[in-house]
Amino acid sequence: MAAVRLKDGAAFDGAELYAFTRDALPGYAAPRFLRIQDSLEVTGTFKQCKSNLVKEGFDPGAIRDPLFFRDDSRKSYVPLTADTFAAIRDMKLNL
């Protein structure tokens, strides 16, 4: 998962991000999940605090931030729904 903050006034484009990660990153490095936050928690040395993000996971029922899932069949990052989350949790959807 990647947690990001968009620039002020910027809109998220899942297809554009998918194309960028496909072209710029090896397949194993492209994030399967994306969390868009209003602000990023950082340490005193400006490193991102990841421990809380790891604890929270990617359950759309528990997280208020927008969550997206890398959907290879649609070649886009699409909103992570409760149904998609359940399919992943129940191992009905292969990652």
Side-chain angles (χ1 to χ4, degrees):
M1 175 181 285
V4 299
R5 180 185 178 278
L6 299 178
K7 291 181 180 180
D8 292 334
F12 176 71
D13 183 338
E16 185 177 331
L17 179 62
Y18 183 94
F20 172 77
T21 57
R22 180 193 61 221
D23 296 342
L25 299 172
Y28 64 85
R32 296 301 275 165
F33 302 96
L34 183 72
R35 180 175 178 172
I36 298 178
Q37 298 184 293
D38 292 331
S39 63
L40 299 176
E41 184 181 0
V42 294
T43 67
T45 56
F46 301 104
K47 295 179 182 176
Q48 189 174 8
C49 294
K50 296 175 266 189
S51 59
N52 288 338
L53 297 172
V54 171
K55 286 178 193 173
E56 293 172 352
F58 62 97
D59 181 353
I63 297 173
R64 295 185 192 146
D65 296 326
L67 294 170
F68 294 87
F69 168 69
R70 182 182 172 91
D71 188 338
D72 291 325
S73 65
R74 294 167 62 181
K75 302 207 180 312
S76 182
Y77 281 87
V78 298
L80 181 64
T81 64
D83 291 337
T84 305
F85 176 75
I88 293 167
R89 183 192 61 219
D90 298 339
M91 294 188 282
K92 293 179 181 174
L93 180 65
N94 290 330
L95 299 179

